[in-house]
Amino acid sequence: MDVFRLHFDIDGGSFASAGNASVEVKKTLRQLGVSNAVIRRCSIAMYEGEINMVIHADGGTADVEVYPDRIVMVLEDHGPGIPDVELAMKEGYSTATEQIHNMGFGAGMGLPNMKRSSDDLKIETKVGVGTKITMVVRL
Amino acid sequence: MSEYQHSVSLDADKCIGCTSCLRQCPTEAIRIRDGRAKIRAELCIDCGNCIRVCQHKAKQAVFDRLEDIDPKFKWRIVLPAPSLYGQFDELKDVGCLLQALLRCGFDEYYEVARAAEIISECTRRYMRKPDIVFPVISSACPAIVRLIRQRFPELCDNILPILPPVEYASRMAKAEALKQHPELRKDEICTVFISPCPAKTSYAKNGLSATKSSIDYVVSMSDMYFKLLPYIKKAEPGKVRSQSGIAGVNWASSGGESEGLYSDRYLAADGMVNAIQVLDAIEDGKFPHLEFVELNACPGGCVGGAAAVENPYIAKARIHGMRHSLPSNQNYLRLINQKPDYVPEYVMVDSPIINHVPEVRLSDNLAEAMRMMQRIDEIYKMLPQIDCGSCGAPTCRAFAEDVVKGECQIDDCVVYLRRMVQENPSGKRRPNDGP
């Protein structure tokens, strides 16, 4: 078998459930025998992705594919899109609302943390249409 | 490495195979097989949840009994846990409890709360070090430490590398006894901890990672309760003074340890479900500015231990009521000319706390593990997904895993079986079954 797939629907209305997919991914990777360090990177990337979709895009989907040599995480939403990707990648830059900041989120570390945790990060985005982020972590 | 000694055990004669404990186990370590609960030793963290919920008293905590103490020990020092202070309705002051302990046959006492004050001071110093991993996670609850080593291996470096108060108390008590009684030999002195939980028994027997424990015996708080009660009623208030401050005694309940750090960037959570959620969040990097995390396996903290007698919140309220009768602190390191981040060597764990991940891999071959995972998914979809526990597994998901691992068959699910029979009434019948 060359690929194992996991699919999650990320609920946009709830911060409480953000992180559930990350926990599920951790458990599955552990059962597959993936190393602790790789599991940690995947769980951070996944968690940040979940939170981003809740904050900016009213939810979306996450698909995780495990290959013999890599883990691919695809996060897709139909949110507002990212007008300036380069700016969004800067640490500390955030467009989250005051309310989100008050909840302790929106530190502007989401995308930078996702980039740091993965070997490859690809952002496909169109303003008004949505965003698709593909992250690869090599085993 | 020697075998890990657990302190939660099963009395098979009393177990009727009900499913009470099954779903309450935070590490899914229990299965019902052949009508009896079975604990998977490699997954059990001795949290005591199953003891608390078992209606048939089949789940038991392993404790030492006072009668078991070897007569070679001429000097027996009792270590009362702070949570013990909240167990008695009639307790006029802590001194009455200390008098009662001596009447129970102990030669000396050393309050664990005293050690807790010192550990708080050491933790404050440790947190000033420039090169440590934040958030620092308390090392006091052995069930939590074991949970982290098993399930959150990447967080082992966050665990406070300082002895839990009970360990420091045991070491100090022995050292003091040797000083005060030069006629005693080292092997004639023992320490006996009165514990609210079975996890501390495991700690005393196994140590912390590679750090050996100096505690010789761990007796149950509920056993000692009835021995102490008559003496407490007779004890004279005001006669013996407690040597602890309220800062040490506060460790009895959740948040007490954190309060002693004088930091507002702390989190204190209790109960296994909350603790696991917090650890998952920390692992995901959810709290970048958090400095300290105090987690207790038992609801309410140590006062909620499976061997505590009183309701945790009543015990906590009683301890709260002692605030006026105790000073805030009575124990200090008394260091001279040391840097603010200096921590004495003798309070540090002997060696780093390393992970101890049980074998949860489906296979050591990734491709094979992926195939099995696929099969688990397929079987899970065929199951009712109601997590009823009748099959003996805590969830339908866990059952699907057990089926793929070959530990049971899909027919063991009664809901699945009934549906199969209804859909295909004759299909289950083999030719030899007769009419």
Side-chain angles (χ1 to χ4, degrees):
Chain A
M1 199 175 130
D2 12 276
V3 59
F4 175 77
R5 290 189 175 86
L6 283 166
H7 174 84
F8 303 95
D9 291 314
I10 311 294
D11 176 10
S14 152
F15 275 100
S17 63
N20 287 358
S22 170
V23 169
E24 198 57 42
V25 167
K26 258 192 275 190
K27 189 182 170 218
T28 305
L29 294 182
R30 201 163 291 143
Q31 286 181 312
L32 289 174
V34 173
S35 77
N36 295 329
V38 169
I39 292 174
R40 179 109 198 239
R41 291 170 65 199
C42 291
S43 77
I44 291 175
M46 194 66 192
Y47 173 75
E48 295 287 4
E50 280 181 79
I51 286 287
N52 269 355
M53 286 197 283
V54 173
I55 293 178
H56 299 289
D58 196 25
T61 58
D63 287 278
V64 180
E65 295 173 335
V66 183
Y67 294 91
D69 63 336
R70 67 192 188 281
I71 293 157
V72 181
M73 290 170 278
V74 181
L75 308 165
E76 201 164 2
D77 67 56
H78 301 290
I82 307 171
D84 186 340
V85 174
E86 206 177 315
L87 191 59
M89 290 303 295
K90 273 173 88 170
E91 289 192 7
Y93 178 79
S94 172
T95 58
T97 62
E98 181 76 29
Q99 191 197 351
I100 301 279
H101 281 286
N102 288 342
M103 290 164 77
F105 297 101
M109 291 305 293
L111 279 172
N113 272 342
M114 286 157 80
K115 186 171 173 62
R116 200 173 306 135
S117 304
S118 52
D119 291 304
D120 253 323
L121 175 105
K122 191 169 85 180
I123 302 176
E124 297 160 80
T125 183
K126 203 165 175 193
V127 174
V129 178
T131 302
K132 181 179 172 184
I133 294 181
T134 308
M135 292 178 285
V136 180
V137 175
R138 280 181 230 292
L139 294 177
Chain B
M1 204 175 116
S2 62
E3 187 91 356
Y4 188 88
Q5 291 185 54
H6 282 283
S7 52
V8 174
S9 75
L10 179 87
D11 182 341
D13 292 337
K14 288 188 179 162
C15 179
I16 64 159
C18 79
T19 55
S20 301
C21 60
L22 199 58
R23 302 231 24 221
Q24 295 300 323
C25 176
T27 60
E28 296 193 346
I30 302 173
R31 295 290 186 275
I32 312 288
R33 296 280 185 259
D34 305 320
R36 301 275 184 277
K38 288 225 158 59
I39 306 173
R40 297 181 169 182
E42 75 279 13
L43 292 176
C44 174
I45 56 170
D46 296 307
C47 70
N49 262 5
C50 55
I51 298 174
R52 218 175 273 123
V53 298
C54 180
Q55 294 150 20
H56 307 280
K57 308 269 175 253
K59 286 284 173 46
Q60 292 166 346
V62 180
F63 284 109
D64 300 308
R65 296 174 312 159
L66 287 186
E67 304 84 81
D68 297 336
I69 298 176
D70 194 321
K72 76 171 183 185
F73 291 117
K74 292 189 180 144
W75 197 254
R76 303 167 172 202
I77 311 166
V78 63
L79 310 172
S83 47
L84 185 64
Y85 300 6
Q87 303 299 312
F88 303 92
D89 201 12
E90 301 83 355
L91 196 63
K92 294 173 197 87
D93 61 26
V94 177
C96 289
L97 171 63
L98 301 174
Q99 289 172 53
L101 286 167
L102 295 182
R103 297 289 294 277
C104 281
F106 294 107
D107 301 292
E108 188 56 275
Y109 52 77
Y110 192 105
E111 297 172 74
V112 175
R114 289 178 60 191
E117 285 177 56
I118 299 290
I119 297 305
S120 289
E121 186 177 347
C122 293
T123 309
R124 292 195 296 270
R125 291 177 155 273
Y126 174 80
M127 306 241 310
R128 295 185 193 118
K129 286 186 183 294
D131 50 353
I132 57 167
V133 186
F134 283 110
V136 173
I137 304 174
S138 165
S139 61
C141 176
I144 294 292
V145 171
R146 191 148 173 88
L147 174 76
I148 294 171
R149 294 180 63 205
Q150 272 195 9
R151 188 153 151 190
F152 300 93
E154 292 286 294
L155 297 181
C156 278
D157 294 340
N158 296 61
I159 301 174
L160 181 69
I162 290 178
L163 300 173
V166 65
E167 183 60 44
Y168 183 63
S170 174
R171 293 184 186 192
M172 283 299 107
K174 286 182 177 181
E176 268 186 22
L178 276 175
K179 219 185 279 172
Q180 284 171 9
H181 304 275
E183 74 280 7
L184 289 171
R185 287 198 322 265
K186 234 180 179 172
D187 60 358
E188 290 174 329
I189 305 170
C190 73
T191 48
V192 182
F193 177 50
I194 301 181
S195 173
C197 71
K200 288 283 204 295
T201 311
S202 310
Y203 165 75
K205 296 213 172 9
N206 304 289
L208 180 75
S209 209
T211 303
K212 290 268 171 293
S213 173
S214 79
I215 303 161
D216 300 286
Y217 297 97
V218 180
V219 295
S220 154
M221 199 166 277
S222 56
D223 281 357
M224 282 307 296
Y225 178 83
F226 293 104
K227 291 193 168 81
L228 285 164
L229 209 49
Y231 297 124
I232 279 180
K233 284 179 180 160
K234 279 184 239 157
E236 286 175 53
K239 198 176 161 198
V240 176
R241 244 174 55 107
S242 164
Q243 291 163 283
S244 315
I246 197 71
V249 180
N250 268 347
W251 280 58
S253 55
S254 177
E257 179 184 2
S258 306
E259 271 176 43
L261 300 179
Y262 315 147
S263 157
D264 49 7
R265 290 181 170 173
Y266 74 82
L267 179 161
D270 51 272
M272 287 304 292
V273 173
N274 289 326
I276 289 171
Q277 282 178 359
V278 167
L279 289 168
D280 267 318
I282 293 171
E283 200 171 49
D284 291 346
K286 193 169 178 174
F287 297 112
H289 304 299
L290 202 59
E291 286 178 355
F292 189 78
V293 178
E294 173 190 342
L295 300 173
N296 285 287
C298 298
C302 295
V303 283
V309 178
E310 191 51 274
N311 170 285
Y313 298 95
I314 294 175
K316 185 181 176 178
R318 281 198 193 125
I319 291 171
H320 198 79
M322 292 173 183
R323 275 173 183 264
H324 56 86
S325 61
L326 289 174
S328 63
N329 279 280
Q330 293 206 59
N331 299 273
Y332 305 92
L333 280 174
R334 303 189 199 286
L335 299 172
I336 302 158
N337 289 337
Q338 291 289 359
K339 285 190 191 145
D341 67 350
Y342 169 78
V343 182
E345 198 57 38
Y346 53 82
V347 300
M348 301 294 288
V349 295
D350 302 342
S351 59
I353 296 161
I354 49 165
N355 72 54
H356 181 77
V357 183
E359 196 50 88
V360 292
R361 277 189 303 182
L362 295 167
S363 160
D364 46 17
N365 174 311
L366 179 61
E368 173 62 15
M370 281 159 64
R371 255 192 301 277
M372 289 171 80
M373 193 59 93
Q374 190 75 48
R375 185 83 190 113
I376 290 169
D377 264 2
E378 287 160 16
I379 290 177
Y380 178 67
K381 288 191 183 112
M382 290 152 72
L383 297 173
Q385 302 177 14
I386 55 172
D387 299 341
C388 71
S390 303
C391 60
T395 60
C396 290
R397 177 83 203 175
F399 174 69
E401 289 171 20
D402 290 350
V403 171
V404 171
K405 286 189 223 157
E407 288 169 23
C408 48
Q409 321 230 306
I410 191 164
D411 286 1
D412 293 336
C413 171
V414 286
V415 182
Y416 172 86
L417 187 65
R418 191 182 60 180
R419 201 177 64 220
M420 283 300 113
V421 172
Q422 279 169 352
E423 282 172 10
N424 190 6
S426 58
K428 282 275 146 192
R429 207 172 274 183
R430 287 166 300 206
N432 294 343
D433 285 355

